[in-house]
Amino acid sequence: MSKYLIFRTDKIGDFLLTAILIKSIKRNDPKSKIIVIGSKNNFSYIKSFNFIDDVFLLKRGLLNKFCLIYKLYKNHYNAIINHDGKNRSSFISFFLRSNIKISSKNNFKYSHFEDILKILNILNFKFYESDLNTIENKNYTNSITLNFDYSVLHFDEKWIYSMYIKNYKNIEPSKNELIDFFNLIISKTNKKLIITTGITSPKILTEIFTYNSNANLIFYKNLNIFELEEIIVKSKLLISCHGSVSHMASAKNIKQIDIIDENKINPYWKWTKHFRNYLPIYRKNFSELSKEIISFL
């Protein structure tokens, strides 16, 4: 049995890129065993994928690194892939036995998806379009009932100026602007609108939903990552500021409007070149931004 060891010791959105690579390897080499090294941010999430055979958590500290090396050393790998490009991953892989070791050091010339294609080429594997469908056939056991058509607006800290990166353009709405925006989305799509949020729910949402009586407007807060994923993959549309939810929508080919910063230092196309059913919009003041979003519905 061939074995592949893959490092992805950062976040969930980053892992969803690597999931494309893993699914392609598994399709090309169905009897292979794929082991992923994850972080505390993505470990539990990675374990939910049925085309991954084993997951190890990389803990902080030199002693923990050597303990992990000891666990992994018993295997000889067909390939070790440092797909997060981290020095810690390179350090661990240095001590392990493999036919080939590949380190992903992406630069501005290539997208992360092109990097995946290059790795597959090194392994003599072919990429299929279906490899993009990384979260199909997942079984959800959450208690959320979703027996209606709906859109999702993921309203996290990236919408609130004081909670996010200060050199990004301010898109924060007033309460009345946001309520009007919600109603326009519902009217234009003729669907219910679910509002989701991140770990911290912006205060403006609490103010709105304390007195909300609109049956077509639903607010879910304090969701775990699996509940959030289920809501997104069963939706008809996602509106969000770029993050892990964007990669979830792409993995399920859900239509999405992605609000991004016009970042010339680290351009978003590097992360989104493989996205399908996708419309990016640059951050701007909320009055202009909301009109642009509504015009695309």
Side-chain angles (χ1 to χ4, degrees):
M1 177 192 295
S2 52
K3 294 179 181 178
Y4 301 87
L5 180 65
I6 301 172
F7 288 83
R8 191 81 248 191
T9 63
D10 33 28
K11 298 183 179 179
I12 287 173
D14 305 299
F15 166 74
L16 281 168
L17 267 165
T18 301
I20 300 168
L21 172 64
I22 295 170
K23 186 173 182 183
S24 187
I25 292 173
K26 198 71 166 182
R27 179 185 48 74
N28 279 277
D29 191 359
K31 295 182 179 180
S32 64
K33 181 174 182 179
I34 296 181
I35 303 166
V36 178
I37 310 301
S39 70
K40 65 177 183 179
N41 294 315
N42 61 23
F43 176 75
S44 296
Y45 184 70
I46 294 173
K47 290 183 71 174
S48 70
F49 286 76
N50 58 18
F51 50 81
I52 294 172
D53 298 289
D54 208 351
V55 188
F56 288 91
L57 173 62
L58 175 58
K59 298 179 182 179
R60 289 183 177 182
L62 186 61
L63 180 60
N64 286 322
K65 289 183 177 67
F66 278 113
C67 287
L68 181 59
I69 291 167
Y70 179 77
K71 291 177 184 177
L72 298 171
Y73 187 78
K74 62 184 177 181
N75 294 314
H76 187 282
Y77 303 96
N78 288 63
I80 295 177
I81 303 169
N82 174 1
H83 203 220
D84 55 28
K86 305 293 185 184
N87 290 334
R88 57 182 177 245
S89 302
S90 296
F91 174 79
I92 292 169
S93 65
F94 174 81
F95 296 94
L96 304 178
R97 298 168 296 165
S98 177
N99 294 346
I100 184 171
K101 295 181 181 180
I102 304 169
S103 183
S104 179
K105 293 287 187 180
N106 197 268
N107 55 44
F108 296 120
K109 186 176 180 181
Y110 303 109
S111 71
H112 292 281
F113 177 63
E114 287 170 312
D115 190 52
I116 288 172
L117 298 181
K118 289 177 183 293
I119 293 171
L120 291 173
N121 186 57
I122 292 171
L123 298 174
N124 293 315
F125 288 158
K126 291 184 178 180
F127 169 79
Y128 284 6
E129 190 76 15
S130 61
D131 297 334
L132 296 173
N133 304 323
T134 53
I135 55 178
E136 62 182 356
N137 303 322
K138 266 196 172 185
N139 295 318
Y140 297 102
T141 58
N142 303 312
S143 58
I144 299 172
T145 301
L146 302 166
N147 54 0
F148 49 84
D149 287 345
Y150 60 90
S151 307
V152 173
L153 175 63
H154 188 64
F155 195 92
D156 58 6
E157 73 283 353
K158 296 171 187 170
W159 295 78
I160 306 300
Y161 186 68
S162 63
M163 297 175 68
Y164 200 49
I165 302 171
K166 295 297 187 296
N167 61 350
Y168 278 23
K169 290 187 178 177
N170 186 352
I171 64 170
E172 184 172 351
S174 68
K175 184 168 72 172
N176 288 336
E177 284 178 322
L178 191 55
I179 292 171
D180 289 342
F181 183 50
F182 291 163
N183 290 331
L184 282 170
I185 295 173
I186 292 168
S187 175
K188 192 75 181 285
T189 61
N190 197 30
K191 294 178 178 61
K192 291 180 183 290
L193 178 62
I194 292 179
I195 310 300
T196 58
T197 187
I199 296 173
T200 302
S201 178
K203 183 179 177 182
I204 190 172
L205 293 180
T206 302
E207 293 174 354
I208 290 172
F209 283 96
T210 298
Y211 303 103
N212 175 54
S213 59
N214 187 344
N216 291 316
L217 185 59
I218 304 163
F219 180 36
Y220 284 110
K221 62 180 179 178
N222 301 324
L223 298 172
N224 63 49
I225 192 63
F226 304 106
E227 293 168 330
L228 179 59
E229 181 181 82
E230 180 177 8
I231 288 173
I232 289 170
V233 303
K234 293 182 178 179
S235 71
K236 302 298 182 183
L237 166 70
L238 170 67
I239 302 169
S240 69
C241 297
H242 186 86
S244 59
V245 293
S246 313
H247 291 271
M248 291 174 185
S250 176
K252 194 66 175 180
N253 202 13
I254 303 295
K255 178 182 178 182
Q256 66 170 304
I257 297 174
D258 193 17
I259 303 163
I260 61 176
D261 194 66
E262 195 171 1
N263 192 332
K264 295 178 182 178
I265 297 175
N266 188 20
Y268 279 87
W269 65 263
K270 286 178 61 182
W271 297 92
T272 62
K273 192 166 185 179
H274 63 288
F275 276 18
R276 304 163 290 173
N277 219 351
Y278 174 72
L279 177 66
I281 295 177
Y282 286 133
R283 293 172 68 99
K284 51 183 68 71
N285 74 74
F286 186 78
S287 177
E288 295 179 32
L289 179 67
S290 59
K291 288 176 184 177
E292 188 171 0
I293 292 171
I294 296 299
S295 72
F296 288 117
L297 297 180

